[in-house]
Amino acid sequence: MQNARTVHDAFDLTGRVALVTGAGSGIGRTTAEVLAGAGATVICADIDAGSAAETASGILGQGGRAESAELDVSVRGAASTLVGHVVARHRGLHVMCNIAGTMIDSSIVDVDPDEFDRIVAVNLKGVLYGCQAAGKVMAAQRGGSIVNMSSAAVLAPAAGVGPYAITKAGVAQLTQTMALEVGQYNVRVNCVAPGFVPTNMTARYYTGPDGAVDEQAKAAVLAPMARMAPLRRVGETADIAYCVLYLAADASSFVTGQLISPNGGVSMHY
Ligand SMILES: NC(=O)c1ccc[n+]([C@@H]2O[C@H](COP(=O)([O-])OP(=O)(O)OC[C@H]3O[C@@H](n4cnc5c(N)ncnc54)[C@H](O)[C@@H]3O)[C@@H](O)[C@H]2O)c1
């Protein structure tokens, strides 16, 4: 049995530098906060520079270390430029969390080609570019942890979210193949496949045209989601962020190429 000091060390990120994409909202914001809470210096990146700055200032207000950056993950070269700045400034990058994502509701048959290009660009190519940028730096420095955001949608296909699920299945495959390729450099690559977590992304199901949340509609969406789960609840952003912390930290130093499913037990897999 390990003593409390070594358990603390296993989750301690003091002295590490972490870049989190999609850090302006939801799961990305809470992940940035949790990694900072574990001691990391967190670069909060988002296409929405203002919300990324809010996340960073929240962390600074709690006594943590954070910076913010504007980043559109879908733009070729953008992640690699940002990673270059981070490495020049902080002399390394130890944790890369590719969390930025977007969603469309469409059947496979009807998906608009432009919308499909866009979701592939953000959810799949965005993760690829982030993995490439971080992977090169981490392989050269002989260590690092990359955590990609997949989705429960890949384990339990559902009608109407196919285009999104395709991108997230690609993320899971990318994660495994990259883990094979960079393991020899002590770089770990894993992904997280969350179940339903109320965030800005899911709010489209219960937000009116005026932008106001319809509480009745929200309850009507969340209640069946909660009933579906053996744990009888939907997720919270912290449920996902703590999985990311585990994968980012030395606690998971023997874990790579895995898909971890914080989903209340909705789906189970070997
Ligand atoms: N909420 C859920 O139920 C759920 C379930 C499974 C997986 N996920 C995944 O978790 C991740 C976070 O989702 P969330 O629910 O927190 O959503 P969210 O909408 O609250 O946050 C997404 C963030 O990504 C940013 N973003 C979007 N496009 C971007 C781009 N091109 N470049 C950089 N940033 C961009 C947005 O500005 C936003 O801050 C996504 O990848 C999503 O697919 C969410």
Side-chain angles (χ1 to χ4, degrees):
M1 184 72 182
Q2 291 187 305
N3 63 34
R5 185 64 220 167
T6 57
V7 171
H8 175 274
D9 288 350
F11 288 92
D12 187 14
L13 297 179
T14 302
R16 312 270 173 96
V17 178
L19 199 165
V20 179
T21 74
S25 170
I27 292 168
R29 173 171 281 181
T30 306
T31 297
E33 292 165 352
V34 164
L35 298 185
T41 297
V42 182
I43 290 76
C44 306
D46 203 286
I47 195 170
D48 180 342
S51 65
E54 269 175 35
T55 304
S57 82
I59 290 170
L60 292 169
Q62 295 293 312
R65 295 183 187 85
E67 297 168 3
S68 66
E70 183 174 348
L71 171 70
D72 181 345
V73 296
S74 71
V75 172
R76 281 188 205 180
S80 128
T81 301
L82 177 58
V83 166
H85 289 318
V86 169
V87 171
R89 192 167 148 75
H90 296 285
R91 289 195 281 281
L93 175 67
H94 309 98
V95 177
M96 175 78 185
C97 302
N98 293 302
I99 297 181
T102 187
M103 174 72 168
I104 51 173
D105 293 300
S106 172
S107 69
I108 298 289
V109 167
D110 289 326
V111 68
D112 175 84
D114 289 333
E115 285 195 11
F116 189 69
D117 284 349
R118 179 71 193 149
I119 199 167
V120 169
V122 176
N123 290 10
L124 183 54
K125 291 184 181 176
V127 173
L128 172 71
Y129 300 151
C131 282
Q132 289 178 317
K136 283 178 187 147
V137 167
M138 290 175 178
Q141 74 191 11
R142 294 291 189 266
S145 173
I146 298 176
V147 184
N148 297 325
M149 206 48 60
S150 183
S151 168
V154 308
L155 302 167
V161 292
Y164 172 81
I166 289 168
T167 64
K168 295 298 184 179
V171 167
Q173 174 59 40
L174 182 164
T175 298
Q176 292 184 334
T177 306
M178 187 174 176
L180 287 173
E181 293 172 351
V182 298
Q184 62 190 307
Y185 306 116
N186 191 33
V187 178
R188 300 183 297 106
V189 193
N190 292 286
C191 65
V192 180
F196 189 90
V197 181
T199 62
N200 286 338
M201 180 175 282
T202 59
R204 71 192 184 288
Y205 293 123
Y206 40 79
T207 304
D210 58 350
V213 170
D214 177 337
E215 291 300 338
Q216 242 182 334
K218 185 174 180 182
V221 170
L222 266 48
M225 289 289 180
R227 272 199 303 276
M228 219 190 297
L231 290 179
R232 297 290 187 270
R233 69 171 176 90
V234 296
E236 295 175 9
T237 56
D239 294 319
I240 315 308
Y242 284 119
C243 275
V244 178
L245 170 62
Y246 167 66
L247 293 171
D250 292 347
S252 63
S253 65
F254 197 44
V255 179
T256 197
Q258 302 302 312
L259 179 142
I260 294 191
S261 299
N263 64 14
V266 167
S267 68
M268 302 182 191
H269 55 97
Y270 290 102

